[in-house]
Amino acid sequence: MVKKVSVRHVLNCLIFSALCGHMSICKASEKKPESDVSVSVHQSGNSFEVDVSYLTHMDACNAFAFITNYEDAKNITGIIESKIISRTDNKVVVERKAKETVLLFHIEISSTIEYTEIPYVGLNFEQIHGDNKIYRGTWRLDSKDGLTRLTYHSLIEPGFNAPKFVMAYFIRNSIRHRFESMAARAAGHLNSSKCP
């Protein structure tokens, strides 16, 4: 049985664990795959700037097909639902739900995101409705010799109040885990039928 609790309760548990020096119990121990995923999280006030990059063995067309496969995102760790609700020209609106586990409790985050596609270059995105106060950013593709570096940048301001170090810990760990999962999926990505 899954026990649903408030975000405040989960954050209080995190604070207690941090103060007691038991942060290792927040995540089950697991062996992390080796990858070139680079993750950087910088805090500015109540907001976080997130920068991620990793190299894939895809050309620009396949990398673009990969990052614009919005409904496949539900196969990435932490994403439980991802569906397109509208598409007009190069604008796509996606409804997404994520579930994060902190200690033994689950937090669900919902958002509606508008993506502006720039073929073979990347995406711009912004939350138009959801649980975060701010969530916007970009994906950029840098291709050379059949390889593509995917670079992600975002600004996130969570929609709940918590001590800054708790939010930083939560965001750093969930972001790293999610992008490592995405990089692993990219490594196994087959050529898209949309590409020559």
Side-chain angles (χ1 to χ4, degrees):
M1 181 170 121
V2 175
K3 183 178 180 182
K4 289 199 173 196
V5 296
S6 71
V7 171
R8 180 168 299 287
H9 178 77
V10 171
L11 293 173
N12 287 338
C13 289
L14 269 175
I15 292 167
F16 178 76
S17 294
L19 294 174
C20 293
H22 298 291
M23 291 307 285
S24 62
I25 67 173
C26 291
K27 287 260 186 201
S29 62
E30 58 186 62
K31 186 175 180 181
K32 298 207 183 254
E34 288 187 30
S35 67
D36 78 332
V37 178
S38 168
V39 178
S40 172
V41 178
H42 297 284
Q43 191 168 350
S44 176
N46 293 328
S47 300
F48 296 87
E49 285 191 55
V50 178
D51 291 290
V52 178
S53 73
Y54 58 92
L55 190 64
T56 66
H57 292 275
M58 292 187 261
D59 61 16
C61 181
N62 282 290
F64 186 73
F66 177 74
I67 65 170
T68 58
N69 190 351
Y70 306 105
E71 294 186 344
D72 187 60
K74 66 182 172 275
N75 295 309
I76 295 170
T77 301
I79 307 290
I80 58 173
E81 185 178 315
S82 184
K83 63 181 178 179
I84 296 171
I85 56 175
S86 73
R87 181 186 292 271
T88 309
D89 298 324
N90 69 331
K91 303 261 188 208
V92 181
V93 178
V94 176
E95 189 174 85
R96 193 165 280 170
K97 293 183 182 176
K99 182 170 24 177
E100 301 292 342
T101 301
V102 180
L103 296 173
L104 300 176
F105 304 102
H106 302 288
I107 298 172
E108 290 187 18
I109 301 166
S110 297
S111 59
T112 302
I113 305 163
E114 181 181 72
Y115 292 89
T116 302
E117 299 179 347
I118 309 162
Y120 314 117
V121 174
L123 303 167
N124 297 333
F125 61 88
E126 184 165 5
Q127 175 185 274
I128 55 177
H129 175 73
D131 293 334
N132 291 308
K133 290 181 182 175
I134 297 171
Y135 178 52
R136 66 175 175 259
T138 60
W139 274 101
R140 291 296 178 260
L141 308 175
D142 182 21
S143 296
K144 185 176 181 181
D145 300 327
L147 300 175
T148 301
R149 179 156 298 278
L150 285 79
T151 303
Y152 168 94
H153 173 78
S154 69
L155 178 66
I156 304 168
E157 184 176 342
F160 53 88
N161 291 322
K164 291 179 183 179
F165 79 92
V166 172
M167 287 192 296
Y169 176 84
F170 179 72
I171 287 174
R172 280 187 181 99
N173 286 289
S174 68
I175 292 290
R176 174 167 293 284
H177 194 65
R178 187 167 294 158
F179 280 98
E180 285 175 345
S181 173
M182 190 174 187
R185 287 191 62 73
H189 182 71
L190 300 175
N191 288 337
S192 171
S193 61
K194 299 176 184 177
C195 299

